[in-house]
Amino acid sequence: MLFKRKRKDVIPTGPALEPVSGAGIDLARERCREMVRKRALVSAGVAAIPLPGVDILSDLTTFTVLVEEVNKEFGLSQQQIERLHPRLRVLAYQAAASVGGMLVGKLVTRTLVMELFKRAGVKIAAKTVAKVVPIAGQVASAAIGFALFRRMGYQHVEACAKVARELASLRVIDAGVGVGVGSPVPPM
């Protein structure tokens, strides 16, 4: 058989079920930064295509998938946070809000990513306008696309790392209480 169908009943060995902590944060950060660089190169390649709008649609889709993968890598996807003890879940969302992680622990939709892209609207407009100029405009568009995508990706990775560090420090403080996945409810 040329293509094999993935089995759904296999337990994934990838991302953590809980937010990463300790040295795992730095390892996840480096893996995610590498992921961002690769996707930014793809974004630059698509931006070089002289068709207006194709790059923006591609960036929306690619960035949405990237954010979900980064969240999972840090153990901060919406599904992973929902599995945490209710007290830790609240702390995770508070930590995300305090560091400005708009996409940490949330269900990432194209609408949410489009809102983020609107904040970088001037650069996206410059990228689109640059396509009108042959060759040089395409190169400029690709460079702007790469820089914008990488910056936004790095910001999200750093927000996830800060949230994971904050949760790790709260877990150390709370270690005597024993909160985590499947832990009994601590006394209040």
Side-chain angles (χ1 to χ4, degrees):
M1 187 184 305
L2 188 58
F3 298 103
K4 289 185 179 180
R5 179 178 277 176
K6 290 184 180 180
R7 289 181 41 191
K8 292 183 179 180
D9 57 350
V10 176
I11 298 173
T13 57
L17 293 176
E18 292 186 345
V20 293
S21 59
I25 295 172
D26 293 328
L27 291 173
R29 182 179 171 271
E30 285 309 311
R31 280 193 306 265
C32 291
R33 286 176 65 89
E34 180 65 27
M35 209 182 326
V36 168
R37 284 188 293 272
K38 287 179 182 177
R39 301 284 169 82
L41 283 172
V42 170
S43 173
V46 173
I49 298 171
L51 296 172
V54 171
D55 57 338
I56 294 173
L57 182 62
S58 172
D59 284 353
L60 278 174
T61 304
T62 305
F63 198 75
T64 301
V65 172
L66 175 73
V67 166
E68 290 173 357
E69 289 176 1
V70 168
N71 285 346
K72 284 180 186 174
E73 190 71 34
F74 279 97
L76 295 171
S77 71
Q78 183 183 22
Q79 297 86 4
Q80 291 164 317
I81 289 177
E82 291 300 320
R83 287 189 208 135
L84 292 174
H85 184 276
R87 191 161 152 201
L88 269 182
R89 189 178 321 141
V90 169
L91 292 174
Y93 286 127
Q94 286 175 345
S98 72
V99 300
M102 186 171 128
L103 302 173
V104 177
K106 296 201 175 137
L107 181 62
V108 182
T109 63
R110 282 189 181 176
T111 308
L112 190 58
V113 172
M114 189 61 161
E115 197 60 38
L116 190 64
F117 275 30
K118 283 181 185 176
R119 292 182 180 180
V122 173
K123 290 182 182 175
I124 291 174
K127 183 172 86 166
T128 305
V129 169
K131 287 184 181 222
V132 177
V133 180
I135 312 278
Q138 292 167 344
V139 171
S141 179
I144 292 169
F146 176 81
L148 179 65
F149 195 96
R150 187 180 66 177
R151 192 183 100 224
M152 289 172 53
Y154 280 179
Q155 285 175 347
H156 180 64
V157 170
E158 294 307 318
C160 285
K162 284 180 184 177
V163 170
R165 283 187 185 101
E166 179 98 11
L167 281 175
S169 69
L170 291 172
R171 283 179 161 219
V172 168
I173 292 169
D174 230 10
V177 181
V179 276
V181 176
S183 297
V185 178
M188 294 277 170

